[in-house]
Coordinates of all heavy atoms in Angstrom, one line a residue:
R8 N -11.5 29.5 15.7 CA -12.4 29.4 16.9 C -11.9 28.5 17.9 O -12.4 28.5 19.1 CB -13.8 28.9 16.3 CG -14.5 30.1 15.6 CD -15.9 29.6 15.3 NE -16.0 28.5 14.4 CZ -15.9 28.6 13.1 NH1 -15.8 29.8 12.5 NH2 -16.0 27.6 12.3
K9 N -10.8 27.7 17.7 CA -10.3 26.9 18.6 C -9.5 27.7 19.7 O -9.2 27.2 20.8 CB -9.2 25.9 18.0 CG -9.8 24.8 17.1 CD -8.8 23.9 16.5 CE -8.1 23.2 17.7 NZ -7.1 22.3 17.1
R10 N -9.2 28.9 19.4 CA -8.4 29.8 20.3 C -9.2 31.1 20.5 O -10.2 31.3 19.8 CB -7.1 30.0 19.7 CG -6.3 28.8 19.4 CD -5.0 29.2 18.7 NE -4.1 28.1 18.6 CZ -4.1 27.2 17.4 NH1 -4.9 27.5 16.5 NH2 -3.2 26.3 17.4
E11 N -8.8 31.9 21.3 CA -9.4 33.2 21.6 C -9.4 34.0 20.3 O -8.3 34.1 19.7 CB -8.8 34.0 22.7 CG -8.9 33.3 24.0 CD -8.2 34.0 25.1 OE1 -7.8 35.2 24.9 OE2 -8.0 33.4 26.2
D12 N -10.5 34.6 19.9 CA -10.6 35.4 18.6 C -9.5 36.5 18.5 O -9.0 36.7 17.5 CB -11.9 36.1 18.5 CG -13.0 35.0 18.2 OD1 -12.7 33.9 17.8 OD2 -14.2 35.3 18.3
M13 N -9.2 37.1 19.6 CA -8.2 38.2 19.6 C -6.8 37.7 19.2 O -6.0 38.4 18.7 CB -8.1 38.9 20.9 CG -7.7 38.0 22.0 SD -7.6 38.9 23.6 CE -6.3 40.0 23.3
L14 N -6.5 36.4 19.3 CA -5.3 35.8 19.0 C -5.1 35.4 17.6 O -4.1 35.1 17.1 CB -4.9 34.6 19.9 CG -4.7 34.9 21.4 CD1 -4.6 33.7 22.2 CD2 -3.6 35.9 21.6
C15 N -6.3 35.3 16.8 CA -6.2 34.8 15.5 C -5.3 35.5 14.5 O -4.5 34.8 13.9 CB -7.6 34.8 14.9 SG -8.7 33.5 15.5
P16 N -5.2 36.8 14.4 CA -4.3 37.4 13.5 C -2.8 37.0 13.8 O -2.1 36.7 12.9 CB -4.5 38.9 13.7 CG -5.9 39.0 14.3 CD -6.1 37.8 15.1
L17 N -2.4 37.0 15.1 CA -1.1 36.6 15.5 C -0.8 35.2 15.1 O 0.2 34.9 14.5 CB -0.9 36.8 17.0 CG 0.3 36.3 17.6 CD1 1.5 37.1 17.1 CD2 0.3 36.3 19.1
I18 N -1.7 34.3 15.3 CA -1.5 32.8 15.0 C -1.4 32.6 13.5 O -0.6 31.9 13.1 CB -2.7 32.0 15.6 CG1 -2.5 32.0 17.1 CG2 -2.7 30.6 15.0 CD1 -3.7 31.5 17.9
V19 N -2.2 33.3 12.7 CA -2.1 33.2 11.3 C -0.7 33.6 10.8 O -0.1 32.9 10.0 CB -3.2 34.0 10.6 CG1 -3.0 34.0 9.1 CG2 -4.6 33.4 10.9
I20 N -0.2 34.7 11.3 CA 1.1 35.2 10.9 C 2.2 34.2 11.3 O 3.0 33.8 10.5 CB 1.4 36.6 11.5 CG1 0.4 37.6 10.9 CG2 2.8 37.0 11.2 CD1 0.5 39.0 11.6
F21 N 2.1 33.7 12.5 CA 3.0 32.7 13.0 C 3.0 31.5 12.2 O 4.0 30.8 11.9 CB 2.8 32.5 14.5 CG 3.8 31.6 15.1 CD1 5.1 32.1 15.5 CD2 3.6 30.2 15.3 CE1 6.0 31.3 16.0 CE2 4.6 29.4 15.9 CZ 5.8 29.9 16.2
F22 N 1.8 31.0 11.8 CA 1.6 29.8 11.0 C 2.3 29.9 9.8 O 3.0 29.0 9.3 CB 0.1 29.6 10.8 CG -0.2 28.7 9.7 CD1 -0.1 27.3 9.8 CD2 -0.6 29.2 8.5 CE1 -0.4 26.4 8.8 CE2 -0.9 28.3 7.4 CZ -0.8 26.9 7.6
V23 N 2.2 31.0 9.0 CA 2.9 31.2 7.7 C 4.4 31.1 7.9 O 5.1 30.5 7.0 CB 2.5 32.5 7.2 CG1 3.3 32.8 5.9 CG2 1.0 32.6 6.8
Q24 N 4.9 31.5 9.0 CA 6.4 31.6 9.2 C 6.9 30.3 9.7 O 8.1 30.1 9.7 CB 6.7 32.7 10.1 CG 6.4 34.1 9.5 CD 6.7 35.2 10.5 OE1 6.8 35.0 11.7 NE2 6.8 36.4 10.0
S25 N 6.0 29.4 10.3 CA 6.6 28.3 10.9 C 6.4 26.9 10.3 O 6.6 25.9 10.9 CB 6.0 28.2 12.4 OG 4.6 28.0 12.3
I26 N 5.9 26.9 9.0 CA 5.8 25.7 8.3 C 7.2 25.0 8.2 O 8.1 25.6 7.7 CB 5.2 25.9 7.0 CG1 3.7 26.3 7.1 CG2 5.2 24.6 6.1 CD1 3.1 26.8 5.8
E27 N 7.3 23.7 8.6 CA 8.6 23.1 8.6 C 8.9 22.2 7.4 O 10.0 21.8 7.2 CB 8.7 22.3 9.9 CG 8.8 23.1 11.1 CD 9.2 22.4 12.3 OE1 9.8 21.3 12.2 OE2 8.7 22.8 13.5
W28 N 7.8 21.9 6.6 CA 8.1 21.1 5.4 C 8.6 22.0 4.3 O 8.0 23.1 4.1 CB 6.8 20.4 4.9 CG 6.7 18.9 5.2 CD1 7.6 18.0 4.7 CD2 5.8 18.3 6.2 NE1 7.2 16.7 5.3 CE2 6.2 17.0 6.1 CE3 4.9 18.7 7.1 CZ2 5.5 16.0 7.0 CZ3 4.2 17.8 7.8 CH2 4.5 16.5 7.8
T29 N 9.6 21.7 3.6 CA 10.2 22.5 2.6 C 10.2 21.9 1.2 O 10.6 22.5 0.2 CB 11.6 22.9 3.0 OG1 12.4 21.6 3.1 CG2 11.7 23.6 4.2
R30 N 9.7 20.6 1.1 CA 9.7 20.0 -0.2 C 8.7 20.6 -1.1 O 7.8 21.3 -0.6 CB 9.5 18.5 0.0 CG 10.7 17.7 0.5 CD 10.4 16.2 0.5 NE 9.3 15.8 1.4 CZ 9.5 15.7 2.7 NH1 10.7 15.8 3.2 NH2 8.5 15.3 3.4
S31 N 8.9 20.4 -2.4 CA 8.0 21.1 -3.4 C 6.5 20.6 -3.1 O 6.3 19.5 -2.8 CB 8.4 20.6 -4.8 OG 9.8 21.0 -5.1
Q32 N 5.6 21.5 -3.4 CA 4.2 21.2 -3.3 C 3.8 20.1 -4.4 O 4.3 20.3 -5.6 CB 3.4 22.5 -3.5 CG 1.9 22.3 -3.1 CD 1.3 23.6 -3.3 OE1 0.9 24.1 -4.3 NE2 1.1 24.4 -2.1
K33 N 3.0 19.2 -4.1 CA 2.6 18.1 -5.1 C 1.2 18.2 -5.5 O 0.4 18.6 -4.7 CB 3.0 16.8 -4.4 CG 4.4 16.6 -3.9 CD 4.5 15.2 -3.2 CE 5.8 15.0 -2.6 NZ 6.0 15.8 -1.3
T34 N 1.0 17.9 -6.8 CA -0.3 17.8 -7.3 C -0.5 16.3 -7.8 O 0.2 16.0 -8.7 CB -0.6 18.8 -8.4 OG1 -0.5 20.1 -8.0 CG2 -2.0 18.6 -9.0
L35 N -1.4 15.6 -7.2 CA -1.5 14.2 -7.6 C -2.6 14.0 -8.7 O -3.6 14.6 -8.6 CB -1.9 13.4 -6.4 CG -0.8 12.9 -5.4 CD1 -0.1 14.1 -4.8 CD2 -1.3 12.0 -4.3
S36 N -2.2 13.3 -9.7 CA -3.2 13.0 -10.8 C -3.7 11.7 -10.6 O -3.0 10.6 -10.5 CB -2.3 13.0 -12.1 OG -3.2 12.7 -13.2
L37 N -5.1 11.6 -10.4 CA -5.7 10.4 -10.0 C -7.0 10.1 -10.8 O -7.6 11.0 -11.4 CB -6.1 10.5 -8.5 CG -5.0 10.7 -7.6 CD1 -5.4 11.1 -6.2 CD2 -4.0 9.6 -7.5
Q38 N -7.4 8.8 -10.9 CA -8.5 8.4 -11.6 C -9.8 8.2 -10.8 O -9.7 7.7 -9.7 CB -8.2 7.2 -12.4 CG -9.2 6.7 -13.4 CD -8.7 5.7 -14.4 OE1 -7.8 5.0 -14.2 NE2 -9.5 5.5 -15.5
T39 N -10.9 8.6 -11.4 CA -12.2 8.4 -10.7 C -12.4 6.9 -10.5 O -12.1 6.1 -11.3 CB -13.4 9.0 -11.5 OG1 -13.3 8.4 -12.9 CG2 -13.3 10.5 -11.6
G40 N -13.0 6.6 -9.3 CA -13.2 5.3 -8.9 C -12.1 4.5 -8.4 O -12.2 3.4 -7.9
A41 N -10.8 5.0 -8.5 CA -9.6 4.4 -8.1 C -9.4 4.6 -6.5 O -10.1 5.3 -5.9 CB -8.4 4.8 -8.9
S42 N -8.3 4.0 -6.0 CA -7.8 4.2 -4.7 C -6.4 4.8 -4.8 O -5.8 4.6 -5.7 CB -7.9 2.9 -3.8 OG -9.1 2.4 -3.8
V43 N -6.0 5.4 -3.7 CA -4.7 5.9 -3.7 C -4.2 5.9 -2.3 O -4.8 6.0 -1.3 CB -4.6 7.5 -4.2 CG1 -5.3 8.4 -3.3 CG2 -3.1 7.9 -4.4
T44 N -2.8 5.7 -2.1 CA -2.2 5.7 -0.8 C -1.1 6.8 -1.0 O -0.2 6.8 -1.8 CB -1.6 4.4 -0.4 OG1 -2.5 3.4 -0.3 CG2 -0.8 4.5 1.0
V45 N -1.1 7.8 0.0 CA -0.2 8.9 -0.1 C 0.7 8.8 1.2 O 0.3 8.6 2.3 CB -1.0 10.2 0.0 CG1 -0.1 11.4 0.0 CG2 -2.0 10.3 -1.1
P46 N 2.1 8.9 0.9 CA 3.0 8.9 2.0 C 3.2 10.3 2.6 O 3.3 11.3 2.0 CB 4.3 8.5 1.4 CG 4.2 9.0 0.0 CD 2.8 9.0 -0.4
C47 N 3.2 10.4 4.0 CA 3.4 11.6 4.7 C 4.6 11.4 5.6 O 4.5 10.7 6.6 CB 2.2 12.0 5.5 SG 0.7 12.3 4.5
H48 N 5.7 12.1 5.4 CA 6.9 11.9 6.2 C 7.0 12.9 7.3 O 6.4 14.1 7.1 CB 8.1 12.1 5.4 CG 8.2 11.1 4.2 ND1 8.8 9.9 4.3 CD2 7.8 11.3 2.9 CE1 8.7 9.2 3.1 NE2 8.1 10.1 2.3
Y49 N 7.5 12.6 8.4 CA 7.7 13.5 9.6 C 9.0 13.3 10.3 O 9.6 12.2 10.1 CB 6.5 13.5 10.5 CG 6.3 12.1 11.1 CD1 7.0 11.7 12.3 CD2 5.3 11.2 10.6 CE1 6.8 10.4 12.8 CE2 5.1 10.0 11.1 CZ 5.8 9.6 12.3 OH 5.6 8.4 12.9
D50 N 9.5 14.3 11.0 CA 10.7 14.2 11.7 C 10.5 13.3 12.9 O 9.5 13.2 13.5 CB 11.1 15.7 12.2 CG 12.5 15.7 12.7 OD1 12.7 15.2 13.9 OD2 13.4 16.2 12.0
L51 N 11.6 12.6 13.2 CA 11.6 11.6 14.3 C 11.2 12.3 15.6 O 10.5 11.6 16.5 CB 13.0 11.1 14.5 CG 13.5 10.0 13.5 CD1 15.0 9.7 13.7 CD2 12.6 8.7 13.7
K52 N 11.4 13.5 15.9 CA 11.0 14.2 17.1 C 9.5 14.2 17.3 O 9.0 14.5 18.4 CB 11.6 15.6 17.2 CG 11.0 16.5 16.2 CD 11.8 17.9 16.3 CE 11.4 18.9 15.2 NZ 12.1 20.1 15.3
Y53 N 8.7 13.9 16.2 CA 7.2 14.0 16.3 C 6.6 12.6 16.4 O 5.4 12.5 16.2 CB 6.7 14.7 15.0 CG 7.1 16.1 14.9 CD1 7.7 16.6 13.8 CD2 6.9 17.0 16.0 CE1 8.2 17.9 13.7 CE2 7.4 18.3 15.9 CZ 8.0 18.8 14.8 OH 8.4 20.1 14.7
I54 N 7.4 11.6 16.7 CA 6.8 10.2 16.7 C 5.7 10.1 17.7 O 4.7 9.4 17.4 CB 7.9 9.2 17.1 CG1 8.8 8.9 15.9 CG2 7.4 7.9 17.7 CD1 10.0 7.9 16.2
Q55 N 5.7 10.8 18.9 CA 4.7 10.7 19.8 C 3.5 11.7 19.6 O 2.4 11.6 20.3 CB 5.2 10.9 21.2 CG 6.3 10.0 21.7 CD 5.9 8.5 21.7 OE1 4.7 8.3 22.0 NE2 6.7 7.6 21.3
H56 N 3.6 12.4 18.6 CA 2.5 13.4 18.3 C 1.4 12.8 17.4 O 1.6 11.8 16.7 CB 3.1 14.6 17.5 CG 4.0 15.5 18.4 ND1 3.6 16.8 18.8 CD2 5.1 15.3 19.0 CE1 4.5 17.3 19.5 NE2 5.5 16.4 19.7
K57 N 0.2 13.3 17.5 CA -0.9 12.9 16.7 C -0.7 13.4 15.3 O -0.2 14.5 15.0 CB -2.2 13.5 17.2 CG -2.7 12.9 18.6 CD -4.1 13.5 18.9 CE -4.7 12.8 20.1 NZ -6.0 13.3 20.5
K58 N -1.1 12.5 14.3 CA -1.0 12.8 12.9 C -2.5 12.8 12.4 O -3.3 12.1 12.8 CB -0.2 11.8 12.1 CG 1.3 12.0 12.4 CD 1.7 11.1 13.6 CE 3.2 11.3 13.9 NZ 3.5 10.5 15.2
Y59 N -2.7 13.7 11.3 CA -4.0 13.7 10.7 C -4.0 14.2 9.3 O -3.0 14.6 8.8 CB -5.0 14.6 11.6 CG -4.6 16.0 11.7 CD1 -5.0 17.0 10.8 CD2 -3.8 16.5 12.7 CE1 -4.6 18.3 10.8 CE2 -3.4 17.8 12.8 CZ -3.9 18.7 11.9 OH -3.5 20.1 11.9
W60 N -5.1 13.9 8.6 CA -5.3 14.2 7.2 C -6.4 15.2 7.1 O -7.5 15.0 7.6 CB -5.6 12.9 6.4 CG -5.8 13.0 4.9 CD1 -7.0 12.7 4.3 CD2 -4.9 13.3 3.9 NE1 -6.8 12.8 2.9 CE2 -5.5 13.2 2.7 CE3 -3.5 13.7 3.9 CZ2 -4.8 13.4 1.5 CZ3 -2.9 13.9 2.7 CH2 -3.5 13.8 1.5
C61 N -6.2 16.4 6.5 CA -7.1 17.5 6.5 C -7.4 18.0 5.1 O -6.6 17.9 4.2 CB -6.4 18.6 7.3 SG -7.5 19.7 8.2

Side-chain angles (χ1 to χ4, degrees):
R8 287 188 293 275
K9 289 180 66 180
R10 304 174 174 90
E11 296 175 16
D12 289 344
M13 63 179 292
L14 293 176
C15 284
L17 172 63
I18 289 171
V19 170
I20 294 171
F21 185 79
F22 162 78
V23 171
Q24 294 176 340
S25 63
I26 293 174
E27 294 190 26
W28 257 292
T29 58
R30 289 187 292 278
S31 302
Q32 192 176 81
K33 303 178 186 73
T34 299
L35 278 60
S36 177
L37 305 168
Q38 186 166 18
T39 52
S42 299
V43 66
T44 299
V45 180
C47 297
H48 302 274
Y49 57 84
D50 193 282
L51 284 170
K52 64 185 178 182
Y53 298 125
I54 281 180
Q55 300 300 324
H56 289 245
K57 287 184 177 180
K58 290 87 184 180
Y59 61 90
W60 180 243
C61 210

